[in-house]
């Protein structure tokens, strides 16, 4: 890293150690309850965590192990420019200026902030990105190579056909285990809804007298990272960090799907194909239709052997 960038990291480290006020936008994906308020944003340098709260914890609270709301630097999947996160777009109160906004997207939560000016936003945007990258060692950077926002590109014809095969599979549904932040592991089905361009996770929760079905959604255009392994908060809470070779987190600003597959081969194959799937929709803003209203772009009637292999997931 250049000396200029090292200086920028030291600058933001110094500012965040002291703390700075920013406006936070919050929207609950389940209830759609939204709030906007001024918070203190600071760095806990002992645990490398960006914290956001109305007040900083007291010495007594720190001694008791209180961890304020926030996100660990290592957990950041994307520092997103503008007001494009779910917390902004679904909030009842629009930001004063979208050019003053940014979001820290991770598996624990997404922190969406508005700053006083575009100059200030750009200052923090640049340094947040350097800080999040600097915290990772080389092995972590290699394992975290499925960051969508870093890899946007046109796909080859072969890759486009692989996208079509995965779409066909997802429209039928893929059985997975979902690790929830509540600490539960539930059998679920991951599927793709073409009309809304959403990945949907349908889970069944067994009760004493009835079974409750829940539905979580992630818009494909909102996905920040596909993170192989158990390096997400939900896997810690379910005590499943040992299942590192079978697990995958699909991280967006709205929801995070923490999935477990039958084995590593199934996980790796699905991750590679899903990454192409997300890239395709990132580059092709309207992949399913055209001005004449034709909503069928892919030929998904035939799936070759490489596509059939995905059915073992």
């Amino acid at each position: 890293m250049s000396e200029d960038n090292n200086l920028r990291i030291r600058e933001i480290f110094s500012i965040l150690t002291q703390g700075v006020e920013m406006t936070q936008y919050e929207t609950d994906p389940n209830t759609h309850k939204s709030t906007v308020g001024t918070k203190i944003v600071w760095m806990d340098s002992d645990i490398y965590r960006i914290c956001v709260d109305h007040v900083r914890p007291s010495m007594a609270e720190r001694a008791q192990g209180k961890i304020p709301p926030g996100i660990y630097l290592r957990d950041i999947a994307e520092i997103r420019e503008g007001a494009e996160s779910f917390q902004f777009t679904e909030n009842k109160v629009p930001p004063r200026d979208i050019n003053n906004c940014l979001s820290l997207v991770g598996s624990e939560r997404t922190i969406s902030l508005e700053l006083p000016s575009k100059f200030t936003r750009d200052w923090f945007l640049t340094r947040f990105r350097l800080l999040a990258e600097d915290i990772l060692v080389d092995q972590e950077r290699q394992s975290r190579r499925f960051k969508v926002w870093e890899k946007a590109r046109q796909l080859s014809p072969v890759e486009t056909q692989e996208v079509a095969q995965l779409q066909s599979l997802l429209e039928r549904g893929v059985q997975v285990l979902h690790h929830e932040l509540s600490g539960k592991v539930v059998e679920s089905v991951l599927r793709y809804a073409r009309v809304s361009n959403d990945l949907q996770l349908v889970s069944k929760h067994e009760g004493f007298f009835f079974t409750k079905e829940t539905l979580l959604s992630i818009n494909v255009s909102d996905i920040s990272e596909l993170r192989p392994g158990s390096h997400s908060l939900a896997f810690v809470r379910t005590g499943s960090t040992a299942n590192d070779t079978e697990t995958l987190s699909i991280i967006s600003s709205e929801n995070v799907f923490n999935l477990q597959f039958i084995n590593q081969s199934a996980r790796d194959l699905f991750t590679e194909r899903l990454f192409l799937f997300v890239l395709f929709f990132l580059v092709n803003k309207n992949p399913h239709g055209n001005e004449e209203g034709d909503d069928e772009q892919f030929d998904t009637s035939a799936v070759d052997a490489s596509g059939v292999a995905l059915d073992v997931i």
Side-chain angles (χ1 to χ4, degrees):
M1 185 172 290
S2 70
E3 184 56 37
D4 285 345
N5 284 339
N6 283 330
L7 176 60
R8 293 184 179 101
I9 290 174
R10 290 194 295 270
E11 288 173 345
I12 191 170
F13 203 95
S14 174
I15 291 293
L16 290 177
T17 300
Q18 300 173 51
V20 60
E21 285 190 344
M22 301 183 189
T23 302
Q24 183 182 19
Y25 289 72
E26 298 178 275
T27 305
D28 189 299
N30 298 313
T31 65
H32 282 258
K33 178 182 178 181
S34 59
T35 60
V36 179
T38 301
K39 303 281 187 72
I40 303 171
V41 180
W42 76 96
M43 164 86 80
D44 187 328
S45 57
D46 293 333
I47 55 177
Y48 293 105
R49 181 176 176 84
I50 304 292
C51 303
V52 185
D53 208 347
H54 292 287
V55 295
R56 299 177 72 152
S58 65
M59 292 295 292
E61 289 173 327
R62 286 176 60 86
Q64 293 170 0
K66 179 181 179 180
I67 299 178
I71 186 172
Y72 291 99
L73 282 178
R74 274 191 164 84
D75 186 35
I76 294 177
E78 178 186 2
I79 293 95
R80 187 176 298 179
E81 180 179 347
E84 299 299 323
S85 71
F86 180 83
Q87 287 66 29
F88 281 122
T89 60
E90 299 301 316
N91 201 295
K92 293 181 176 63
V93 180
R96 292 183 297 274
D97 189 335
I98 61 173
N99 294 313
N100 300 350
C101 300
L102 62 81
S103 295
L104 312 180
V105 183
S107 74
E108 182 177 357
R109 60 168 47 86
T110 292
I111 299 173
S112 294
L113 304 167
E114 184 174 16
L115 291 96
S117 66
K118 183 179 185 300
F119 175 84
T120 309
R121 191 283 310 271
D122 290 346
W123 191 94
F124 276 97
L125 181 73
T126 299
R127 287 157 180 79
F128 271 136
R129 285 177 173 170
L130 291 171
L131 194 60
E133 180 68 16
D134 186 63
I135 196 70
L136 301 177
V137 299
D138 289 341
Q139 184 177 358
E140 288 175 307
R141 291 191 184 97
Q142 172 61 21
S143 66
R144 300 277 295 277
R145 65 188 182 278
F146 296 104
K147 292 184 178 180
V148 177
W149 61 278
E150 291 182 338
K151 305 290 185 179
R153 61 176 176 82
Q154 291 287 346
L155 303 188
S156 69
V158 172
E159 290 174 327
T160 302
Q161 180 59 27
E162 291 175 349
V163 170
Q165 294 161 3
L166 180 60
Q167 178 178 315
S168 177
L169 174 67
L170 285 171
E171 288 177 347
R172 299 196 301 270
V174 176
Q175 292 187 342
V176 293
L177 294 178
H178 182 222
H179 293 247
E180 300 180 337
L181 284 172
S182 65
K184 295 180 180 180
V185 182
V186 294
E187 293 183 356
S188 306
V189 174
L190 179 67
R191 66 192 187 195
Y192 174 65
R194 181 183 300 208
V195 173
S196 58
N197 196 29
D198 285 346
L199 288 179
Q200 298 179 337
L201 193 66
V202 183
S203 303
K204 292 185 177 181
H205 296 77
E206 301 290 341
F208 287 106
F209 302 107
F210 58 88
T211 299
K212 179 182 179 182
E213 189 172 272
T214 61
L215 172 67
L216 299 175
S217 296
I218 289 177
N219 191 271
V220 173
S221 64
D222 187 39
I223 294 175
S224 291
E225 181 184 1
L226 307 181
R227 185 180 299 174
S230 55
H231 308 291
S232 295
L233 182 61
F235 295 122
V236 175
R237 291 188 174 175
T238 60
S240 303
T241 54
N243 298 324
D244 190 71
T245 59
E246 303 167 3
T247 47
L248 167 70
S249 294
I250 304 174
I251 301 172
S252 78
S253 70
E254 179 179 2
N255 280 305
V256 179
F257 295 167
N258 298 290
L259 310 177
Q260 184 174 348
F261 295 81
I262 191 170
N263 55 39
Q264 181 175 358
S265 295
R267 192 277 310 271
D268 290 348
L269 178 59
F270 185 82
T271 302
E272 295 283 354
R273 294 289 176 84
L274 184 60
F275 191 60
L276 294 177
F277 185 83
V278 176
L279 289 182
F280 179 87
F281 286 96
L282 182 66
V283 174
N284 301 276
K285 300 299 184 182
N286 184 26
H288 289 311
N290 54 36
E291 294 181 356
E292 285 71 38
D294 179 11
D295 64 353
E296 187 71 29
Q297 174 153 345
F298 292 135
D299 175 13
T300 58
S301 58
V303 180
D304 66 14
S306 60
V308 173
L310 284 169
D311 285 322
V312 304
I313 294 174

